[in-house]
Amino acid sequence: MGVDSHANGTLNLALQLLAPRQPAVALGFHGALAAAVLASSQKSLTRAGVVHAALLGIALYTSFGAQGWLLGVIFLVVGSRLTKLRYAQKLAEGIAQSRGGARGPENVWGAGGAAALCAALHLFPALPPAQPALELAFVCAVCSKLSDTCGSEIGKAYGRSTYLITTLSPVPRGTEGAVSLEGTFAGIMGSAALAAIAAGLGVIPFEQLPFAIFAAFLATTAESVIGAALQNEMRLSNEAVNFLMTLIGAVLGIGGWYALYAV
C-alpha cells in the first residue's frame, strides 16, 4: 500500500508540473528541445524555424497542456516526414518543397498560426468563444493542415491522375488547386488519425471526432478552390493560403461546437 501511495504521489506531482498555464516550465522545456533539435542532423526545420516552432509549442503547452502540445508535435513531425516522401522524385519534377524540405518561420506560422490564435484566445475564459469551442477549433485547425499535407504530398508522390478542382480538367501533379483520388483518401485518413489521437489524449471528447474530420475535409476543399481560383490572381503565398485554410477549419470548429451544444 505504501509503494502504491508513493507512486500515486509521484504521478500527481508529475501531472501538476505538466499542467496547463505553466509558462516557466514550458519555456524551459522548449528551450532544451530547441537546443536538441539545433544540434541534430534531421534538418526538418531551419535554425529560425526551430525557434519559431518552440514559440508555437510554448503557446500550445500553456493553453492546452501537455496533451495539446503533444498533438502539435505529432502534427509537425508527421508533416515534415511526409514532405520528404519521395523527395528526389518530386525535386526532379520541380514540385518539391524548397530547402530540402526544412521548414522556416513562415511555414511554422502558416501551418500553426490558427492553432496559436486558438491558444491565445483560450487564455481568456471570461471572453467568447467558450474554451471547449476553442479546443475543438484547435483540433480542427491542425487536422485541416495535416489533411492538406497528406493530400498534397501523397498526391505528388503517388497520384496517378490529378484534376483541377474548379474545372475537373487534368493538370500536372503539384499544380495549385489540383486534387487526386490517392491524395484525397490520404488526407481523410490523416485527419481521422490525428482527430482520433486528439480524442484519445482528451483534447476533445470522442463524440466530436467525426465533426473534426468533416471540418478538415471542408477546409482542405476550400484551400484547393482558393489555390485554383485566387492564389495566383491575388499573389497569395502558400503560407498565406495554409493560414486561411487552418483558420477556416478553426472557425468551422467553433461554429460546430455552438451548433452541437449551445442551440
Side-chain angles (χ1 to χ4, degrees), residues 75 111 114-115 118 136-146 246-247 249-250:
F75 136 74
C118 291
L136 178 56
F138 161 59
V139 172
C140 288
V142 294
C143 284
S144 297
K145 184 60 187 104
L146 186 61
T246 54
L247 187 62

Side-chain angles (χ1 to χ4, degrees), residues 14-36:
L15 290 174
Q16 289 174 16
L17 290 174
L18 292 177
R21 300 193 176 90
Q22 297 290 340
V25 176
L27 184 61
F29 180 80
H30 282 86
L33 177 63

